[in-house]
């Protein structure tokens, strides 16, 4: 069955430092992949998505992610963290032609001044 | 557009009570879904619908019922609430049945079952 693994339930970075949030999926056929962000007491918002076009995907707020089929990974990066990036981030996958989205457990990002 | 709306925002139930969580969207989206969010477990799909009159089960459907009589509304019913159903519930919608579509989430309902 499809699964999504996010390495690290908590990540802490200093303001201005690189942000790297890791996501791996398990599927014999590359799925569609998403990163969502959740700010406190809010619903989820889409950051970016991979739907089999370009492997490097750019999203909102300076985030980007690279799809690597050989590593079954879709890690999220941002060159320089801002205090406003503090939130919980979810990686998600859905099989092509399917309707069920599988979410990872989430990674909470802390940004230190 | 209001987007995806959910009511109530908060609810406390006693074990065995039933209730309906409301979800509505005004974007004419075909696909709607319900998730529950629990600490350390991400979001898990409860039920989903690919159009009016069509629903199916997700990962954790037990104890929940859904129906989709209109495109706009997708209520979630708890038949007999249990403490294990204490969670935050999110409704989401997306424009088409295509699996590459972005999902738009409501603000959530925080449910406590005593």
């Amino acid at each position: 069955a499809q699964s999504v693994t996010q390495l690290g339930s908590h990540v802490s970075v200093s303001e201005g430092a690189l942000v790297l949030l890791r996501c791996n999926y398990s599927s014999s056929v590359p799925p569609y992949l998403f990163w969502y962000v959740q700010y406190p007491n809010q619903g989820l918002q889409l950051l970016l998505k991979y739907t089999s076009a370009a492997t490097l995907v750019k999203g909102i707020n300076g985030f980007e992610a690279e799809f690597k089929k050989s590593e079954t990974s879709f890690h999220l990066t941002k060159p320089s963290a801002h205090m406003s990036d503090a939130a919980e981030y979810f990686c998600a996958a859905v099989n092509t032609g399917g309707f069920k989205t599988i979410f990872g457990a989430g990674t909470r990002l802390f940004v230190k001044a | 557009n209001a987007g995806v709306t959910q009511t109530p925002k908060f609810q406390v139930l006693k074990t065995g009570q039933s209730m309906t969580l409301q979800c509505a969207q005004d974007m004419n989206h075909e696909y709607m879904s319900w998730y529950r969010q629990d600490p350390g477990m991400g979001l898990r799909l409860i039920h989903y619908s690919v159009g009016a009159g069509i629903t199916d089960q997700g990962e954790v459907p037990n104890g929940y019922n859904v129906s989709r009589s209109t495109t706009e509304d997708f209520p979630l019913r708890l038949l007999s609430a249990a403490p294990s159903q204490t969670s935050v519930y999110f409704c989401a919608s997306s424009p088409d049945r295509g699996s590459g579509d972005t999902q738009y989430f409501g603000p959530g309902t925080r449910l406590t079952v005593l």
Side-chain angles (χ1 to χ4, degrees), chain B residues 90-106:
Chain B
F90 289 99
C91 179
S93 72
S94 61
D96 202 349
R97 302 180 181 192
S99 48
D101 277 339
T102 301
Q103 291 192 72
Y104 296 85
F105 285 82

Side-chain angles (χ1 to χ4, degrees), chain A residues 32 34 36 38 41-44 46 49 51 88 90 94-105, chain B residues 31 35 37 40-43 45 48 50 57-59 90 97-103 105-107 110:
Chain A
Y32 294 133
F34 304 80
Y36 287 89
Q38 184 180 34
N41 300 314
Q42 293 186 26
L44 279 69
L46 181 73
K49 64 180 178 181
T51 56
E88 189 153 23
F90 292 93
V94 57
N95 287 332
T96 53
F99 303 118
K100 298 182 182 181
T101 302
I102 304 299
F103 283 83
Chain B
Y31 181 92
Y35 295 90
Q37 182 179 25
M41 302 187 75
L43 278 74
L45 182 65
Y48 66 96
V50 297
Q57 297 181 348
E59 293 177 80
F90 289 99
R97 302 180 181 192
S99 48
D101 277 339
T102 301
Q103 291 192 72
F105 285 82
R110 188 173 295 273

Side-chain angles (χ1 to χ4, degrees), chain A residues 14-104:
Chain A
S14 298
E15 194 173 20
L18 172 71
V19 175
L20 171 60
L21 305 182
R22 300 176 188 273
C23 173
N24 289 87
Y25 66 90
S26 70
S27 174
S28 56
V29 176
Y32 294 133
L33 294 161
F34 304 80
W35 276 100
Y36 287 89
V37 61
Q38 184 180 34
Y39 297 103
N41 300 314
Q42 293 186 26
L44 279 69
Q45 308 170 31
L46 181 73
L47 270 180
L48 49 81
K49 64 180 178 181
Y50 167 77
T51 56
S52 72
T55 56
L56 182 62
V57 182
K58 294 188 186 299
I60 62 171
N61 301 338
F63 284 93
E64 62 181 38
E66 186 172 10
F67 170 71
K68 292 187 176 180
K69 183 179 177 180
S70 60
E71 299 177 7
T72 61
S73 69
F74 190 56
H75 301 332
L76 182 70
T77 60
K78 182 174 180 177
S80 177
H82 192 272
M83 298 296 287
S84 61
D85 295 326
E88 189 153 23
Y89 293 80
F90 292 93
C91 183
V94 57
N95 287 332
T96 53
F99 303 118
K100 298 182 182 181
T101 302
I102 304 299
F103 283 83

Side-chain angles (χ1 to χ4, degrees), chain B residues 44 67 84 114:
Chain B
R44 291 180 291 168
S67 60
S84 60
L114 302 175

